[in-house]
Amino acid sequence: HVQLVESGGNSVQPGGSLNLSCVASGSVNSYCSAWFRRAPGKERERVATFRTDGVTRYDDSVKGRFTISKDKEKHTLNLLMSSLKPEDTAMYFCASLCADDICDGDDRSPDRRRCAHWGRGTQVTVS
């Protein structure tokens, strides 16, 4: 059973940067991996996705500020966040072995079961 562990969350001021990492306990041949976030009182939403062919996709709210990347050798999925805003405050989760439409579709809040593996999250607070 693959476990995902996120790290890198912190409290920062607006305009600051953070680099989130998600380490998998083993190799996962995942066509689609993703970062999600859930702000207090809101639905979990897709933030960024990474396909094995290197294609990335971002929610409009983070486009130009966040960068998703993957290190296959280290089994790590990263999310570099810059120009952070208070509205970026949320618990951030990584997910792997996601259904193709998580990367290719338009549903920003897909059912959790659409990805096989989830981490427990790392908190990002911008204030």
Side-chain angles (χ1 to χ4, degrees):
H1 178 67
V2 174
Q3 289 186 321
L4 303 181
V5 179
E6 303 95 336
S7 64
N10 210 329
S11 295
V12 296
Q13 293 183 341
S17 299
L18 286 173
N19 191 13
L20 305 185
S21 291
C22 171
V23 179
S25 60
S27 177
V28 180
N29 187 19
S30 177
Y31 167 79
C32 177
S33 303
W35 280 96
F36 291 82
R37 68 185 179 187
R38 185 174 64 235
K42 294 187 177 181
E43 279 190 312
R44 184 182 62 251
E45 64 178 10
R46 182 186 59 191
V47 175
T49 62
F50 186 97
R51 288 181 359 190
T52 51
D53 58 1
V55 173
T56 58
R57 190 174 177 183
Y58 300 91
D59 185 80
D60 286 345
S61 65
V62 306
K63 202 171 292 183
R65 300 187 297 120
F66 289 13
T67 303
I68 189 171
S69 62
K70 193 170 188 178
D71 186 328
K72 288 185 179 180
E73 291 186 3
K74 295 182 180 179
H75 309 312
T76 301
L77 186 71
N78 300 305
L79 186 68
L80 178 62
M81 308 187 296
S82 61
S83 302
L84 283 162
K85 304 176 181 179
E87 50 263 44
D88 294 319
T89 294
M91 184 71 79
Y92 284 71
F93 303 87
C94 65
S96 69
L97 209 59
C98 300
D100 294 359
D101 61 296
I102 297 297
C103 279
D104 304 330
D106 297 325
D107 188 354
R108 295 178 67 225
S109 298
D111 189 286
R112 180 183 175 88
R113 292 170 293 183
R114 303 295 288 165
C115 297
H117 306 299
W118 288 85
R120 293 188 173 186
T122 185
Q123 177 68 37
V124 172
T125 302
V126 185
S127 64

